[in-house]
Amino acid sequence: MIVAFSISPITGDETGGVSEAVAAAVRVVRESGLPNETNAMFTNIEGEWDEVMAVVKRAVDVVAEVSPRVGLVLKADIRPGFTGQLSAKVERVERALEQA
């Protein structure tokens, strides 16, 4: 499965920024060893249901250490029997664009 998720602490620094808390969450994802990528809006992670959800929970817990309230947006693509889709899905779209 691929999960795209965004964690937002409700409190930020003096400028309203949340980058330090978000970086702590992304660190958890990267240290998990699961395929992942981070963009301006979401972090994507690929793996089996239990391992992916455990990483998301750890990431939320890390952010909760610095914020009394945490927002979580999560979208999942559940496709049993398929792996490597974090990059394969993008590659298929790029090939289709080249043919146009």
Side-chain angles (χ1 to χ4, degrees):
M1 79 184 305
I2 297 173
V3 168
F5 71 100
S6 175
I7 299 173
S8 301
I10 301 306
T11 58
D13 64 20
E14 62 279 349
T15 68
V18 296
S19 60
E20 290 297 320
V22 171
V26 171
R27 189 172 297 111
V28 167
V29 173
R30 291 183 179 174
E31 290 174 354
S32 75
L34 295 175
N36 67 84
E37 63 184 21
T38 299
N39 58 49
M41 297 292 294
F42 288 93
T43 293
N44 302 315
I45 185 170
E46 183 174 11
E48 296 300 320
W49 182 277
D50 290 340
E51 61 188 357
V52 168
M53 291 304 173
V55 172
V56 171
K57 182 183 184 321
R58 284 195 307 274
V60 168
D61 290 345
V62 165
V63 173
E65 291 175 6
V66 297
S67 179
R69 188 172 182 183
V70 179
L72 172 67
V73 175
L74 187 143
K75 180 178 180 179
D77 180 358
I78 304 161
R79 195 173 182 193
F82 286 79
T83 60
Q85 296 302 295
L86 196 59
S87 59
K89 290 174 72 168
V90 176
E91 290 167 5
R92 287 191 295 272
V93 170
E94 291 296 336
R95 279 197 302 274
L97 287 169
E98 290 172 0
Q99 296 172 3

